């Protein structure tokens, strides 16, 4: 059984559970020496993965260490057309050598500045063909000793975020292989009709498929598939917890008696009213469920992806909240209530590290300094 070491970088919701008896270890933060960046000179190995060859670029960490970056490696077929609202499918492969010097497009979303301040109204960005991962490694060769692997899941309330906001130049001061993953968001990633037509949890399933691809290919980039650390912040941290709980993720179902992490039990970590939300989104685009979920989903598959992403903002009453388009207990990927799974020990036996993000809620104070521009039904419909 392969064991994943998982780290959750969690927010203020866990702070309320701490007591004065808890032991807090003081960790010295490594000083950032420089900004890091790309180097034009120097050879970069071409890596042969299980799905094709990929080129990369040579970069330098903030501490001056050279590493190789392989951007925009696809791990799934583009979730477009008939694959929209469907489980991700492993990419079959590509011919030639993929160019790996540019970040992938973000998954369709409302710009975070618009969500938090409303300054720009509805600023849309992204592309539906967005299921890519980036790999950063000090040695792009399959040779011993293999390095530990760190896989990062970004946050953003399940409706925003990408790998763009998390450059590798600090972590690559260490001898590790870093992987950053993108997954579907908002309507495209978490809408559900609460039946087999669109069961939901697509963003989580994207993460699981990326981990599966990585298990086969980590050694090609100098990484050890038996020493993988999965970590994330905010919705990414909750996603890490849910990867521990799902029987679909790497390692399969195992027994553990004393689960230690409660991040997915945070009030915002799960979605709600999924079928009602799906019907509401459908009405925005004149897609009805009168003849069943198949008709609704087929109609929404024809709608422009950015318009669908914009529609998720209609559901927010304050900034990103409430989070309705999020994970759900579907009976399969998440077989039962989160608290029940934890109490019954129905999760993977893995090492867990939890932490607190200082001033985690500070980002939401931006609205106090910038008037919020309401995003209404009509605005989303006109995009």
């Amino acid at each position: 059984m392969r064991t994943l070491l998982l780290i959750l970088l969690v927010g203020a919701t866990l702070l309320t559970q701490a007591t004065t008896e808890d032991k807090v270890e003081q960790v010295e933060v490594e000083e950032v020496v420089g900004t890091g960046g790309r180097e034009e000179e120097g050879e970069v190995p071409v890596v042969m993965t299980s799905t094709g060859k990929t080129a990369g670029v040579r970069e330098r960490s903030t501490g001056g260490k050279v590493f190789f970056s392989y951007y925009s490696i696809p791990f799934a077929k583009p979730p477009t057309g008939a694959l929209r609202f469907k489980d991700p499918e492993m990419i079959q492969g590509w011919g030639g050598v993929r160019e790996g010097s540019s970040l992938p497009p973000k998954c369709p979303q409302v710009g975070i500045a618009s969500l938090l301040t409303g300054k720009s109204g509805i600023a849309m960005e992204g592309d539906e063909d967005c299921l890519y991962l980036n790999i950063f490694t000090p040695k792009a060769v399959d040779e011993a000793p293999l390095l530990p692997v760190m896989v990062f899941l970004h946050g953003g309330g399940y409706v925003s975020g990408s790998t763009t906001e998390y450059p590798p130049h600090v972590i690559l001061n260490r001898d590790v292989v870093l992987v950053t993953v993108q997954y579907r968001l908002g309507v495209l990633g978490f809408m559900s009709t609460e039946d087999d037509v669109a069961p939901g949890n697509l963003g989580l399933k994207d993460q699981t498929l990326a981990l599966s691809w990585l298990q086969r290919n980590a050694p090609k980039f100098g990484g050890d598939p038996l020493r993988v650390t999965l970590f994330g912040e905010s919705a990414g941290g909750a996603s890490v917890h849910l990867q521990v709980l799902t029987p679909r993720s790497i390692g399969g179902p195992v027994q553990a008696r004393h689960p230690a992490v409660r991040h997915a039990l945070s009030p915002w970590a799960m979605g709600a009213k999924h079928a009602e939300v799906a019907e509401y989104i459908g009405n925005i685009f004149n897609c009805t469920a009168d003849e069943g979920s198949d008709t609704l989903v087929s109609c929404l598959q024809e709608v422009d992806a950015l318009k669908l992403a914009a529609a998720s903002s209609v559901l927010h009453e304050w900034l990103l909240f409430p989070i309705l388009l999020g994970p759900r207990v579907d009976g399969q990927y998440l077989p039962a209530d989160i608290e029940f799974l934890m109490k019954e020990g129905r999760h993977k036996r893995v090492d867990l590290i939890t932490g607190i993000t200082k001033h985690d809620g500070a980002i939401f104070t931006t609205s106090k300094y910038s008037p919020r521009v309401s995003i209404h039904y009509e605005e989303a419909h006109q995009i």
Side-chain angles (χ1 to χ4, degrees):
M1 183 68 67
R2 291 174 172 171
T3 300
L4 298 180
L5 171 66
L6 298 110
I7 296 179
L8 297 182
L9 301 183
V10 300
T13 50
L14 280 185
L15 184 59
T16 59
Q17 299 172 14
T19 69
T20 55
E21 298 178 355
D22 292 335
K23 295 182 179 180
V24 179
E25 180 181 356
Q26 297 296 323
V27 179
E28 183 177 347
V29 178
E30 182 176 344
E31 181 181 359
V32 177
V33 177
T35 58
R38 294 193 178 182
E39 293 190 337
E40 298 299 328
E41 299 181 356
E43 184 178 352
V44 180
V46 172
V47 177
M48 180 64 191
T49 73
S50 62
T51 46
K53 295 180 180 180
T54 182
V57 293
R58 181 185 175 99
E59 301 198 54
R60 194 173 290 273
S61 73
T62 58
K65 294 185 64 173
V66 171
F67 64 92
F68 305 109
S69 300
Y70 297 86
Y71 292 95
S72 301
I73 301 175
F75 60 86
K77 295 179 181 178
T80 58
L83 293 183
R84 179 185 287 180
F85 301 122
K86 302 300 180 183
D87 287 1
E89 296 184 8
M90 183 70 76
I91 190 168
Q92 297 301 306
W94 60 84
V97 179
R98 280 190 62 87
E99 186 274 330
S101 62
S102 302
L103 281 161
K106 299 179 180 182
C107 290
Q109 59 190 270
V110 178
I112 189 65
S114 296
L115 286 173
L116 296 180
T117 69
K119 273 187 173 181
S120 303
I122 304 179
M124 302 306 304
E125 55 186 341
D127 189 295
E128 197 168 8
D129 180 5
C130 63
L131 297 185
Y132 298 88
L133 52 80
N134 311 302
I135 300 180
F136 310 97
T137 176
K139 58 173 188 177
V141 289
D142 184 0
E143 64 179 24
L146 296 177
L147 300 174
V149 180
M150 299 181 70
V151 182
F152 181 75
L153 302 179
H154 68 77
Y158 307 116
V159 295
S160 67
S162 71
T163 60
T164 303
E165 292 87 7
Y166 305 93
H169 303 91
V170 173
I171 289 183
L172 265 295
N173 285 325
R174 304 288 186 175
D175 287 330
V176 298
V177 175
L178 173 66
V179 182
T180 57
V181 178
Q182 295 197 160
Y183 54 94
R184 281 173 283 182
L185 305 166
V187 175
L188 295 167
F190 292 94
M191 190 195 81
S192 172
T193 52
E194 297 189 25
D195 54 25
D196 292 339
V197 176
N201 292 326
L202 297 179
L204 299 178
K205 294 172 182 177
D206 295 340
Q207 298 166 7
T208 300
L209 188 63
L211 290 172
S212 178
W213 186 94
L214 185 62
Q215 281 291 301
R216 293 196 296 274
N217 290 284
K220 308 291 181 61
F221 297 88
D224 187 346
L226 301 181
R227 291 190 293 163
V228 177
T229 300
L230 182 61
F231 69 119
E233 56 88 20
S234 193
S239 295
V240 172
H241 190 185
L242 294 171
Q243 293 297 330
V244 176
L245 295 172
T246 176
R248 299 286 185 87
S249 195
I250 299 298
V254 297
Q255 296 295 318
R257 294 185 178 275
H258 302 290
V261 182
R262 302 181 64 83
H263 195 282
L265 290 174
S266 299
W268 54 264
M270 299 292 289
K273 303 179 180 179
H274 287 84
E276 182 179 337
V277 168
E279 184 175 355
Y280 183 80
I281 295 296
N283 287 334
I284 293 178
F285 301 103
N286 297 317
C287 297
T288 69
D290 295 343
E291 298 181 11
S293 299
D294 285 301
T295 303
L296 172 64
V297 170
S298 295
C299 180
L300 289 176
Q301 285 177 332
E302 302 298 324
V303 177
D304 179 78
L306 290 181
K307 290 184 178 180
L308 282 175
S312 65
S313 297
V314 181
L315 306 172
H316 301 149
E317 296 180 5
W318 181 74
L319 304 181
L320 296 172
F321 305 101
I323 295 178
L324 299 178
L325 287 167
R328 64 176 288 264
V329 175
D330 60 3
Q332 297 182 16
Y333 188 87
L334 293 175
D337 179 76
I338 303 304
E339 186 171 2
F340 176 81
L341 292 175
M342 294 176 66
K343 286 182 176 180
E344 294 294 312
R346 293 171 57 182
H347 52 73
K348 297 171 183 62
R349 185 180 293 112
V350 293
D351 296 319
L352 299 167
I353 303 175
T354 65
I356 301 297
T357 302
K358 189 175 182 180
H359 304 312
D360 181 60
I363 189 172
F364 297 115
T365 65
T366 54
S367 61
K368 298 294 184 182
Y369 306 100
S370 175
R372 169 71 174 165
V373 177
S374 298
I375 300 176
H376 298 292
Y377 175 104
E378 293 80 6
E379 291 179 273
H381 189 59
Q382 292 172 3
I383 290 184

